[in-house]
């Protein structure tokens, strides 16, 4: 192994070990002081005797490894991630304990985006899949950049949070996405070692958590963990040369699932934040799929999408993303039709 590879292997292993150790401690402490939050009909398949504080382990491992890495310069991006992560940790824990209203959650998410915008995180353009770029900032005019960041970060955070409904799902997808951004950041035409280090630290933090989150889970990510995973992926996509298309492709299934559920809730006159079990993974479970089979489907599509994102150019990514969207929509329609047939029967 060459010396350069150690720059990335060491922080990955360190963050993974810290995360796994903290998860182990949380699990055993929680078993002694079982906290029941009184919720019923939640998104998880297990009872409330399993800790939802896995996000604390992920965030802590990420922060510790980030701040002890000697090769990272603490610029605006790193400080924005650190401060954003700490804010998510406290708000997420509060949501897991008190169940915040959707209005409070959205207010916090908007405030979070405004905070990192003030820190200096900007997106100046996005790649036009048909060639060239689409500018979002003109001189000192950043309004379109801010609007795009608000929509992008809030959407990804909630999509990842909504995918956190079965063991190993949101964490596995987030880990694959982080590794994809890591590989792309090291490609010669991109070559962003700081982004690669941050991405691999994040992947390690999630990987350590996944050791205890695979079926049957001994710990959940909770709101703090799922929001944090979505937050970091959304920020990395902006920082890594505006790799929005790459992240869209890799997170295609949870993002499409989020759009489908939002449309379904609006069509039925419900709030888009109304909790239910209408997500794709819930529908598949009702059709008799096992948790591991659902994970295999999600992981398989995500790994395929990640491979495509790594080896193709923007126009090809866009076309494949459209094809993936069509396939997923057809799949959703088929699942919905079968569900209605079973209900009528």
């Amino acid at each position: 192994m060459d010396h350069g590879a150690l720059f990335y292997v060491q922080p990955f292993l360190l963050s993974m070990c810290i995360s796994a150790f903290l998860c182990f401690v949380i699990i055993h402490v929680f078993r002694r002081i079982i906290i029941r939050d009184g919720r019923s009909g939640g998104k998880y398949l297990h009872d409330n005797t399993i800790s939802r504080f896995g996000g604390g382990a992920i965030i802590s491992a990420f922060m510790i490894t980030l701040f002890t890495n000697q090769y990272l310069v603490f610029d605006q991006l790193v400080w924005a991630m650190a401060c954003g992560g700490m804010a998510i940790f406290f708000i997420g824990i509060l949501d897991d304990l008190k169940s915040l209203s959707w209005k409070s959650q959205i207010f916090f998410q908007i405030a979070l985006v405004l905070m990192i915008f003030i820190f200096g995180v900007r997106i100046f353009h996005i790649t036009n899949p048909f060639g060239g770029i689409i500018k979002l900032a003109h001189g000192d005019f950043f309004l379109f950049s801010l609007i795009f960041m608000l929509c992008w970060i809030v959407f990804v955070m909630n999509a990842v949070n909504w995918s956190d409904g079965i063991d190993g799902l949101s964490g596995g997808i987030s880990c694959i996405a982080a590794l994809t951004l890591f590989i792309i950041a090291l490609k010669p035409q991109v070559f962003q070692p700081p982004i690669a280090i941050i991405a691999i630290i994040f992947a390690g933090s999630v990987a350590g958590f996944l050791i205890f989150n695979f079926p049957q889970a001994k710990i959940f990510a909770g709101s703090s963990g799922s929001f944090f995973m979505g937050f970091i992926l959304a920020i990395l996509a902006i920082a890594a040369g505006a790799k929005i298309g790459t992240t869209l492709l890799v997170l295609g299934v949870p993002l499409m699932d989020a759009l489908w559920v939002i449309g379904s809730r609006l069509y039925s006159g419900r709030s888009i934040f109304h909790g239910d079990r209408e997500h794709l993974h819930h529908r598949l479970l009702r059709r008799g799929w096992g948790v591991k089979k659902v994970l295999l489907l999600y992981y398989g599509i995500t790994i395929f999408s990640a491979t495509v994102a790594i080896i193709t150019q923007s126009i090809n990514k866009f076309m494949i993303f459209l094809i993936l969207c069509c396939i997923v929509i057809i799949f959703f329609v088929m699942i919905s039709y079968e569900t209605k047939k079973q209900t009528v029967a």
Side-chain angles (χ1 to χ4, degrees), residues 130-164:
F130 301 106
I133 60 173
I134 301 173
K135 290 187 176 182
L136 297 175
H138 301 272
D140 294 328
F141 186 73
F142 293 101
L143 179 61
F144 295 122
S145 176
L146 176 59
I147 293 173
F148 183 89
M149 287 175 62
L150 281 168
C151 295
W152 170 249
I153 296 174
V154 170
F155 179 56
V156 174
M157 285 179 67
N158 282 287
V160 174
N161 179 51
W162 287 343
S163 72
D164 188 31

Side-chain angles (χ1 to χ4, degrees), residues 35-44 46-50 52-53 91-101 105 161 164 220-224 226-227 275 277:
I35 300 173
R36 298 179 181 274
D37 61 16
R39 286 194 227 182
S40 61
K43 62 181 179 179
Y44 294 109
H46 306 290
D47 60 30
N48 292 327
T49 61
I50 298 177
R52 294 178 180 173
F53 301 146
I91 297 298
I93 294 296
L94 183 61
D95 180 51
D96 285 323
L97 292 175
K98 300 293 184 180
S99 189
L100 299 176
S101 68
Q105 292 185 28
N161 179 51
D164 188 31
F220 297 140
S223 295
S224 60
S226 57
F227 282 141
R277 290 179 180 254

Side-chain angles (χ1 to χ4, degrees), residues 25-336:
V25 171
I26 292 170
I27 291 167
H28 285 271
V29 170
F30 191 84
R31 283 176 180 172
R32 298 190 174 206
I33 50 172
I34 297 176
I35 300 173
R36 298 179 181 274
D37 61 16
R39 286 194 227 182
S40 61
K43 62 181 179 179
Y44 294 109
L45 300 179
H46 306 290
D47 60 30
N48 292 327
T49 61
I50 298 177
S51 173
R52 294 178 180 173
F53 301 146
I58 298 172
I59 297 171
S60 299
F62 180 81
M63 296 294 183
I64 293 170
T65 312
L66 198 69
F67 279 100
T68 56
N69 190 286
Q70 59 182 318
Y71 302 109
L72 272 180
V73 176
F74 286 83
D75 58 6
Q76 296 166 318
L77 173 66
V78 177
W79 282 113
M81 286 184 170
C83 293
M86 291 305 298
I88 290 171
F89 174 76
F90 289 112
I91 297 298
I93 294 296
L94 183 61
D95 180 51
D96 285 323
L97 292 175
K98 300 293 184 180
S99 189
L100 299 176
S101 68
W102 68 266
K103 293 180 181 179
S104 298
Q105 292 185 28
I106 288 296
F107 175 82
F108 159 71
Q109 292 167 16
I110 293 174
L112 184 66
V113 177
L114 292 175
M115 181 189 75
I116 65 171
F117 189 82
I118 292 171
F119 264 93
V121 177
R122 303 281 193 276
I123 180 165
F124 296 93
H125 66 268
I126 56 176
T127 303
N128 187 335
F130 301 106
I133 60 173
I134 301 173
K135 290 187 176 182
L136 297 175
H138 301 272
D140 294 328
F141 186 73
F142 293 101
L143 179 61
F144 295 122
S145 176
L146 176 59
I147 293 173
F148 183 89
M149 287 175 62
L150 281 168
C151 295
W152 170 249
I153 296 174
V154 170
F155 179 56
V156 174
M157 285 179 67
N158 282 287
V160 174
N161 179 51
W162 287 343
S163 72
D164 188 31
I166 62 175
D167 303 343
L169 185 54
S170 62
I173 291 173
S174 297
C175 193
I176 295 169
L179 290 173
T180 305
L181 291 171
F182 163 74
I183 293 171
I184 289 177
L186 291 180
K187 292 177 72 173
Q189 60 268 41
V190 178
F191 198 64
Q192 296 176 301
I195 299 300
I197 292 175
I198 295 171
I200 204 66
I201 289 174
F202 174 63
S205 303
V206 178
F209 161 76
L210 280 172
I211 294 172
F212 299 95
N213 185 241
F214 281 122
Q216 287 278 336
K218 298 179 177 64
I219 191 170
F220 297 140
S223 295
S224 60
S226 57
F227 282 141
F228 178 73
M229 289 187 282
F231 172 73
I232 295 297
L233 289 175
I235 295 297
L236 282 175
I238 292 173
K243 298 300 180 187
I244 306 298
T246 297
T247 309
L248 274 173
L249 186 57
V250 177
L251 297 179
V253 177
L255 293 179
M256 286 297 299
D257 178 53
L259 287 174
W260 177 272
V261 170
I262 288 173
S264 175
R265 290 171 183 174
L266 288 174
Y267 181 76
S268 60
R270 294 174 294 162
S271 165
I272 62 174
F273 297 97
H274 172 75
D276 56 33
R277 290 179 180 254
E278 295 304 314
H279 292 284
L280 177 61
H281 50 273
H282 290 136
R283 291 171 179 261
L284 292 174
L285 290 173
R286 286 201 297 270
R287 285 178 55 84
W289 287 44
V291 171
K292 292 181 180 179
K293 188 176 179 181
V294 175
L295 287 181
L296 185 62
L297 173 68
Y298 272 79
Y299 287 1
I301 296 175
T302 304
I303 292 172
F304 170 77
S305 301
T307 304
V308 170
I310 292 169
I311 65 177
T312 59
Q313 300 299 316
S314 295
I315 180 63
N316 294 326
K317 288 178 188 176
F318 181 70
M319 296 306 297
I320 293 171
F321 177 69
L322 289 180
I323 294 171
L324 177 63
C325 288
C326 292
I327 293 172
V328 172
I329 289 173
I330 292 171
F331 191 59
F332 282 171
V333 171
M334 291 174 60
I335 293 294
S336 298

